[in-house]
Amino acid sequence: MWDFLFHGFAIAITPLNIGLVMVGALLGTLFGALPGIGPINGIAILMPLAYTLGLPAESALILLAGIYCGSEYGGRMSSILLNVPGDAGAVMTTLDGFPLAQKGLAGPALGMSAIASFVGATLAIIGLTLFAPLLAIVAVKFGPSEFFALMVFAFASMSAMMGKDPLKTLIGAVLGIILATVGVDSGTGVLRFTFDMPELYDGIDFVVLIIGMFAISEILLMLEHNFHKSAESQMAPIGRVMVSMKEVMSCKWTMLRSGVIGFIIGVLPGTGASVASAVAYTTEKRISDKNNTFGTGDMRGLAAPEAANNASAAGSFVPMLTLGIPGSGTTAILLGALMLYNIQPGPMMFSEQPVIVGGLIASLYIGNVVLLALNLPLAGFFARVLTVPRWVLVPGVAILSFVGVFQLHSDLHAIYLMLVIGIFGYVLRKFGFSLAPIILGFVLGGLMEQNLRRALAISGGDVQILWESALSIGLWIAAVLVMVAPWALGKMSASKAQPQITDDE
């Protein structure tokens, strides 16, 4: 493990990769600070540009991972100063972050959130270093039937934990699987859902899909808002970003607990930072909120979700690198970035692609330090990004989206398809659908179909092969438990909440 890590640092500290870590951290913080942009849109826009610039695979992944982790830092800005979450993972930050800003403690709140983010991310990166190689050793023993059961578990955990409506999440995943079937069937050569359009014979390009789904739909949503509404008049004054040692020490156990919770939840396929921050906040409230101060401006209520969502971001790399299963919507896009380089993530990456895996893990350590160094002294600078008017932001995002797709394909049909997908994504978002399950379904759908076909080919069509091994049975049981657990816990909570009727009554 140490040899692997030292080799990774030798790759990460090259001038090119060090520069990309810094650029990714800076851009990620800016993307995270802008409400509505977030890590998915930032990576979706810059991924085709990184590919067309001819960056090596490890350098491109280091840049995009820096944007991902930086966005988790930056998302706290608008949550604390404007009560507007930068992304889904920063929703819980508003509960205590904005009340602190209203009390005149915006600067200390930003400082505490940066420190909590650093602690949570550090714990998760250490967990990634320790446990990812061990999980990869186990995953090498997976056959087609085990991988199919793993995909079922991923979809089950996604539908149970992502979003407020599990049914809509599951529908989104099914839509993603349907989109993955467009094109020529690799097994039989039959055209599927191409509508006699030669442009769809190769299927829907991943970059076109993510930029359409996220960037274009986000542009359409931005157009609904007031262009000239300025955030500067609503923003709380920041003052000096300084946190006392006493405040930091009062939150030490909160940060440690929430970091561990965030890492564990991040490892689960399809969950993401929003689930991690919510679980960490509610857990910490039950443990520490003796005086009912959470929600009124408690530093612990700010530190818990910030440590958890950054730990979840690093933890989501574990299933992506070891199993080829995205741990979140953003890592689904990173997985697609590897596929652009014809690299298939999975357990063999640690032996076949040590340069990529080692360089990525080492860059996370470096990037985390860079992010802390950026976010403590430059909080006021990043906060100024919130004042960018929408009439500047919308055209900028649109130009980057169009240029990225055209540079990659040099084909107007890709632009037209991107616009159609963007309108479709906009309609889904208006009806309350989350788009991340669609991307996860698209990425996992092809792998799920391939492994199902391989398993049935090995067994001669006998479906019992899908649950013959102990690993497969365990994954099927885990999928059922994940689906049933939220319903059972809801029933238990409802029964406890009902008043008990005595015999006298």
PDB file of all heavy atoms in Angstrom, residues 60 122 132 164 200 228 346 348 400 419 425 428 455 457 495 503:
ATOM      1  N   ALA A  60      -6.271  14.322 -16.711  1.00  0.00           N
ATOM      2  CA  ALA A  60      -7.668  14.738 -16.880  1.00  0.00           C
ATOM      3  C   ALA A  60      -8.483  14.362 -15.655  1.00  0.00           C
ATOM      4  O   ALA A  60      -9.309  15.165 -15.168  1.00  0.00           O
ATOM      5  CB  ALA A  60      -8.253  14.087 -18.131  1.00  0.00           C
ATOM      6  N   THR A 122     -10.230  14.583   4.658  1.00  0.00           N
ATOM      7  CA  THR A 122      -8.999  13.870   5.024  1.00  0.00           C
ATOM      8  C   THR A 122      -9.313  12.472   5.551  1.00  0.00           C
ATOM      9  O   THR A 122      -8.645  11.492   5.185  1.00  0.00           O
ATOM     10  CB  THR A 122      -8.220  14.677   6.074  1.00  0.00           C
ATOM     11  OG1 THR A 122      -7.890  15.970   5.540  1.00  0.00           O
ATOM     12  CG2 THR A 122      -6.940  13.963   6.473  1.00  0.00           C
ATOM     13  N   ALA A 132      -9.829   0.749  -0.354  1.00  0.00           N
ATOM     14  CA  ALA A 132     -10.052   0.516  -1.785  1.00  0.00           C
ATOM     15  C   ALA A 132      -9.224  -0.652  -2.324  1.00  0.00           C
ATOM     16  O   ALA A 132      -9.759  -1.513  -3.037  1.00  0.00           O
ATOM     17  CB  ALA A 132      -9.787   1.793  -2.581  1.00  0.00           C
ATOM     18  N   LYS A 164     -36.432  12.653  -2.465  1.00  0.00           N
ATOM     19  CA  LYS A 164     -37.561  12.499  -1.548  1.00  0.00           C
ATOM     20  C   LYS A 164     -38.568  11.472  -2.054  1.00  0.00           C
ATOM     21  O   LYS A 164     -39.356  10.952  -1.279  1.00  0.00           O
ATOM     22  CB  LYS A 164     -38.247  13.854  -1.364  1.00  0.00           C
ATOM     23  CG  LYS A 164     -37.350  14.920  -0.736  1.00  0.00           C
ATOM     24  CD  LYS A 164     -38.081  16.232  -0.606  1.00  0.00           C
ATOM     25  CE  LYS A 164     -37.191  17.297   0.011  1.00  0.00           C
ATOM     26  NZ  LYS A 164     -37.860  18.603   0.113  1.00  0.00           N
ATOM     27  N   LEU A 200     -27.632   7.949 -34.635  1.00  0.00           N
ATOM     28  CA  LEU A 200     -27.858   7.227 -33.382  1.00  0.00           C
ATOM     29  C   LEU A 200     -27.362   5.790 -33.428  1.00  0.00           C
ATOM     30  O   LEU A 200     -27.542   5.051 -32.468  1.00  0.00           O
ATOM     31  CB  LEU A 200     -29.359   7.240 -33.038  1.00  0.00           C
ATOM     32  CG  LEU A 200     -29.969   8.604 -32.702  1.00  0.00           C
ATOM     33  CD1 LEU A 200     -31.459   8.458 -32.423  1.00  0.00           C
ATOM     34  CD2 LEU A 200     -29.271   9.236 -31.509  1.00  0.00           C
ATOM     35  N   HIS A 228     -31.859  40.601 -13.377  1.00  0.00           N
ATOM     36  CA  HIS A 228     -31.205  41.759 -12.784  1.00  0.00           C
ATOM     37  C   HIS A 228     -31.229  41.728 -11.253  1.00  0.00           C
ATOM     38  O   HIS A 228     -30.839  42.695 -10.616  1.00  0.00           O
ATOM     39  CB  HIS A 228     -31.885  43.039 -13.269  1.00  0.00           C
ATOM     40  CG  HIS A 228     -31.880  43.162 -14.764  1.00  0.00           C
ATOM     41  ND1 HIS A 228     -30.739  43.470 -15.470  1.00  0.00           N
ATOM     42  CD2 HIS A 228     -32.863  42.978 -15.680  1.00  0.00           C
ATOM     43  CE1 HIS A 228     -31.020  43.511 -16.778  1.00  0.00           C
ATOM     44  NE2 HIS A 228     -32.296  43.198 -16.925  1.00  0.00           N
ATOM     45  N   GLY A 346     -12.702  -0.666 -12.547  1.00  0.00           N
ATOM     46  CA  GLY A 346     -13.033  -1.947 -11.942  1.00  0.00           C
ATOM     47  C   GLY A 346     -11.863  -2.467 -11.130  1.00  0.00           C
ATOM     48  O   GLY A 346     -10.839  -1.780 -10.962  1.00  0.00           O
ATOM     49  N   MET A 348      -9.505  -4.498 -11.667  1.00  0.00           N
ATOM     50  CA  MET A 348      -8.206  -4.667 -12.321  1.00  0.00           C
ATOM     51  C   MET A 348      -7.470  -3.350 -12.516  1.00  0.00           C
ATOM     52  O   MET A 348      -6.301  -3.350 -12.926  1.00  0.00           O
ATOM     53  CB  MET A 348      -8.396  -5.361 -13.674  1.00  0.00           C
ATOM     54  CG  MET A 348      -9.014  -6.742 -13.587  1.00  0.00           C
ATOM     55  SD  MET A 348      -8.127  -7.834 -12.443  1.00  0.00           S
ATOM     56  CE  MET A 348      -6.555  -7.990 -13.280  1.00  0.00           C
ATOM     57  N   LEU A 400     -19.741  27.691 -23.179  1.00  0.00           N
ATOM     58  CA  LEU A 400     -18.880  26.563 -22.809  1.00  0.00           C
ATOM     59  C   LEU A 400     -19.513  25.229 -23.198  1.00  0.00           C
ATOM     60  O   LEU A 400     -18.822  24.305 -23.642  1.00  0.00           O
ATOM     61  CB  LEU A 400     -18.594  26.595 -21.308  1.00  0.00           C
ATOM     62  CG  LEU A 400     -17.637  27.692 -20.817  1.00  0.00           C
ATOM     63  CD1 LEU A 400     -17.586  27.704 -19.307  1.00  0.00           C
ATOM     64  CD2 LEU A 400     -16.247  27.484 -21.394  1.00  0.00           C
ATOM     65  N   LEU A 419     -29.473  19.732 -27.442  1.00  0.00           N
ATOM     66  CA  LEU A 419     -30.583  20.632 -27.150  1.00  0.00           C
ATOM     67  C   LEU A 419     -31.867  19.865 -26.853  1.00  0.00           C
ATOM     68  O   LEU A 419     -32.618  20.219 -25.933  1.00  0.00           O
ATOM     69  CB  LEU A 419     -30.797  21.586 -28.331  1.00  0.00           C
ATOM     70  CG  LEU A 419     -29.681  22.618 -28.574  1.00  0.00           C
ATOM     71  CD1 LEU A 419     -29.940  23.385 -29.864  1.00  0.00           C
ATOM     72  CD2 LEU A 419     -29.564  23.575 -27.401  1.00  0.00           C
ATOM     73  N   GLY A 425     -34.580  17.142 -20.198  1.00  0.00           N
ATOM     74  CA  GLY A 425     -34.142  17.243 -18.808  1.00  0.00           C
ATOM     75  C   GLY A 425     -34.833  18.375 -18.071  1.00  0.00           C
ATOM     76  O   GLY A 425     -35.186  18.239 -16.889  1.00  0.00           O
ATOM     77  N   LEU A 428     -38.289  17.196 -17.117  1.00  0.00           N
ATOM     78  CA  LEU A 428     -38.211  16.274 -15.983  1.00  0.00           C
ATOM     79  C   LEU A 428     -37.994  17.029 -14.677  1.00  0.00           C
ATOM     80  O   LEU A 428     -38.613  16.714 -13.649  1.00  0.00           O
ATOM     81  CB  LEU A 428     -37.080  15.276 -16.208  1.00  0.00           C
ATOM     82  CG  LEU A 428     -37.297  14.207 -17.288  1.00  0.00           C
ATOM     83  CD1 LEU A 428     -36.038  13.368 -17.472  1.00  0.00           C
ATOM     84  CD2 LEU A 428     -38.473  13.301 -16.932  1.00  0.00           C
ATOM     85  N   ALA A 455     -23.566 -14.049 -18.051  1.00  0.00           N
ATOM     86  CA  ALA A 455     -23.967 -15.058 -17.073  1.00  0.00           C
ATOM     87  C   ALA A 455     -24.899 -16.095 -17.705  1.00  0.00           C
ATOM     88  O   ALA A 455     -24.738 -17.309 -17.490  1.00  0.00           O
ATOM     89  CB  ALA A 455     -24.648 -14.383 -15.882  1.00  0.00           C
ATOM     90  N   ALA A 457     -25.110 -16.828 -20.875  1.00  0.00           N
ATOM     91  CA  ALA A 457     -24.355 -17.611 -21.861  1.00  0.00           C
ATOM     92  C   ALA A 457     -23.563 -18.725 -21.188  1.00  0.00           C
ATOM     93  O   ALA A 457     -23.473 -19.850 -21.701  1.00  0.00           O
ATOM     94  CB  ALA A 457     -23.410 -16.689 -22.640  1.00  0.00           C
ATOM     95  N   SER A 495     -45.459   4.709  14.241  1.00  0.00           N
ATOM     96  CA  SER A 495     -46.110   4.048  15.371  1.00  0.00           C
ATOM     97  C   SER A 495     -45.692   4.667  16.695  1.00  0.00           C
ATOM     98  O   SER A 495     -46.495   4.802  17.617  1.00  0.00           O
ATOM     99  CB  SER A 495     -45.778   2.552  15.362  1.00  0.00           C
ATOM    100  OG  SER A 495     -44.390   2.356  15.541  1.00  0.00           O
ATOM    101  N   ASP A 503     -56.493   2.497  29.177  1.00  0.00           N
ATOM    102  CA  ASP A 503     -57.799   1.853  29.398  1.00  0.00           C
ATOM    103  C   ASP A 503     -58.832   2.885  29.885  1.00  0.00           C
ATOM    104  O   ASP A 503     -60.007   2.831  29.508  1.00  0.00           O
ATOM    105  CB  ASP A 503     -57.676   0.735  30.430  1.00  0.00           C
ATOM    106  CG  ASP A 503     -56.834  -0.410  29.882  1.00  0.00           C
ATOM    107  OD1 ASP A 503     -56.764  -0.541  28.640  1.00  0.00           O
ATOM    108  OD2 ASP A 503     -56.288  -1.175  30.687  1.00  0.00           O
TER     109      ASP A 503
END
